[in-house]
Amino acid sequence: MTFAELWRELEPLGRDPGTGGYRRYSWTPADTECRAWFTRRAEALGLAVEPDRNGNLWAWWGPSGPRRPGAVVTGSHLDSVPDGGGYDGALGVASALAAVEELKARSFSPERAIAIAVMTEEEGGRFRVACLGSRLMTGAIVPDAARALSDDDGVTLAAAMTAAGADPSRLGPDEDLLGSVGAFVELHVEQGRALAPMGAAVGLAKGIWPHGRWRLGFGGRADHAGTARLADRKDPMLPYARTVLAARRAAADNGALATIGKVIAEPGGANGICSSVTAWLDARAPDEARLEKTVTAVRSASMRYSAECGVTLSVRQESYTPPVRFDEALRDRITDVLAAAGMEAPVLSTGAGHDAGFLAARVPAAMLFVRNPTGVSHSPAEHADLPDCETGVHALALVLEDLAARP
Ligand SMILES: [Zn+2]
């Protein structure tokens, strides 16, 4: 199957007909459909598909056995943010299948095993901890804490996995599997717009900015919008609103990014004052010092505004990811492979987190980016042109071929 044919099959899965955005939340029926599609397509290529203990899927090609030392692994994720785009994650998975197909069509025979990994809950779109599959695998989150994570409806990860037919009791670090990975190369749609002005179809990742999520809880008092005097109100919406602006200012002051993209106002009546507002702050910066300054500025502004309004404030860090530097030797090797094929791949840093970033702590990891002409991501408008996707597939095939041909 060509990339375009694979894409046509995958594209409709989990897409909301109203918004055109994707709702591929992990361990939901949409996710099950995506997993079934991947399994079907990988098996059609002759790959052996095995779930790992953390709910990630691995499709293996080449020397079999319980350990496949030095395996070359590619892949990405199939889950999405709420109303996300079709390319984030899915492009890396479909490209991996197409790249393996290209190598098989050339009768390539790998010396080292090749695997395609589909990581679970990469976006944290349901359980709010991003890269959950790779965090669990590398021991970056305690299994009990992961099992207890709950979605907006109060369904825990353990319950969601069980309902989807998976076993949450085995969650945890996977040293055997990690020990078999010689290199991990994730192809991903570019998030941002650096490649287009450079006229490059593909790029390579240098590193990932440190980033995190903080939950801000503003506690006020529910009251009647038509009778409560302004002076008597404890309205949590007020410090919340000022905090949104403070986040924007703190980010600008520190050369960082800060976003409040999710808010829950309760009870949420149009004619009432809220009892509480919960908001999530996402902050990222080129280095940890600037990230800390940004978050501290938001937190202290928020405390001040809350106190002024008689509103309580709680701030909880839900996730934190230190900066990632990808393996230089691996990147240089990939640069050479692509240059030999006439492809120039500029090196970029990104503010977006990825499973490759977590795996980079344990194995040599690299990322290939495919040009995003508008730069828009996490939106139904996210896009990559078909010829660029095809270039990405070819680039990935060359990289896998080189890495799997020799130790
Ligand atoms: Zn992604």
Side-chain angles (χ1 to χ4, degrees):
M1 253 191 177
T2 63
F3 171 82
E5 288 165 337
L6 288 165
W7 198 249
R8 261 197 298 281
E9 281 190 352
L10 178 58
E11 216 174 10
L13 306 186
R15 185 165 54 188
D16 182 78
T19 62
Y22 288 85
R23 296 178 183 178
R24 291 171 177 161
Y25 306 133
S26 55
W27 307 114
T28 62
D31 183 52
T32 301
E33 263 192 278
C34 289
R35 287 167 183 267
W37 169 81
F38 173 75
T39 302
R40 208 162 53 239
R41 283 296 146 231
E43 285 177 352
L45 285 170
L47 309 184
V49 180
E50 300 165 8
D52 68 14
R53 57 191 300 170
N54 294 306
N56 310 305
L57 291 176
W58 294 68
W60 290 92
W61 175 19
S64 62
R67 290 185 195 193
R68 292 116 160 162
V72 178
V73 184
T74 184
S76 195
H77 60 95
L78 289 172
D79 66 313
S80 76
V81 294
D83 281 332
Y87 292 78
D88 184 344
L91 181 65
V93 176
S95 298
L97 290 166
V100 165
E101 172 123 22
E102 180 180 325
L103 293 177
K104 293 223 164 193
R106 290 214 293 271
S107 305
F108 173 68
S109 164
E111 286 293 314
R112 292 161 66 174
I114 291 178
I116 303 174
V118 177
M119 307 303 287
T120 190
E121 184 75 356
E122 192 273 350
E123 299 287 8
R126 182 168 181 191
F127 295 102
R128 294 192 287 269
V129 175
C131 299
L132 189 55
S134 50
R135 271 182 216 263
L136 278 162
M137 186 178 170
T138 55
I141 183 170
V142 179
D144 276 339
R147 275 188 282 268
L149 290 171
S150 62
D151 67 10
D152 286 346
D153 297 323
V155 179
T156 63
L157 174 67
M161 285 185 73
T162 305
D167 175 12
S169 71
R170 297 186 64 245
L171 294 180
D174 200 335
E175 291 303 325
D176 278 356
L177 189 51
L178 274 172
S180 69
V181 179
F184 184 82
V185 181
E186 179 171 0
L187 179 146
H188 204 278
V189 68
E190 180 190 15
Q191 295 170 294
R193 192 174 169 276
L195 293 174
M198 292 191 257
V202 295
L204 280 165
K206 181 176 193 220
I208 299 178
W209 286 10
H211 56 275
R213 286 184 203 183
W214 289 262
R215 190 172 78 177
L216 308 173
F218 300 89
R221 188 182 61 215
D223 215 326
H224 194 298
T227 57
R229 294 191 322 140
L230 293 180
D232 296 339
R233 296 182 179 193
K234 289 182 177 173
D235 185 350
M237 198 60 92
L238 298 175
Y240 156 70
R242 293 177 75 186
T243 300
V244 174
L245 301 176
R248 169 76 180 217
R249 195 164 52 243
D253 288 348
N254 292 291
L257 296 169
T259 308
I260 293 180
K262 174 169 176 169
V263 56
I264 298 174
E266 283 171 318
N271 58 354
I273 295 157
C274 289
S275 57
S276 74
V277 172
T278 309
W280 280 263
L281 170 72
D282 175 305
R284 305 164 193 241
D287 55 64
E288 289 188 286
R290 275 185 272 185
L291 180 58
E292 200 192 314
K293 269 179 89 175
T294 305
V295 175
T296 302
V298 177
R299 188 195 295 254
S300 50
S302 199
M303 278 169 64
R304 201 166 60 244
Y305 303 148
S306 297
E308 283 171 23
C309 298
V311 166
T312 62
L313 174 72
S314 67
V315 181
R316 207 180 85 199
Q317 185 180 81
E318 284 197 335
S319 71
Y320 184 80
T321 311
V324 172
R325 297 224 153 272
F326 287 112
D327 190 90
E328 275 181 49
L330 179 59
R331 187 170 67 235
D332 289 347
R333 187 163 161 180
I334 293 174
T335 301
D336 291 347
V337 169
L338 299 182
M343 275 185 255
E344 214 182 302
V347 175
L348 318 168
S349 271
T350 177
H354 298 284
D355 290 309
F358 279 89
L359 295 172
R362 300 293 308 277
V363 301
M367 290 192 74
L368 269 171
F369 293 126
V370 171
R371 171 167 51 195
N372 180 335
T374 62
V376 173
S377 185
H378 284 187
S379 144
E382 179 184 85
H383 179 74
D385 291 333
L386 180 59
D388 286 352
C389 295
E390 288 167 343
T391 301
V393 169
H394 185 52
L396 182 60
L398 293 173
V399 170
L400 297 179
E401 182 177 28
D402 180 74
L403 294 175
R406 55 192 165 101

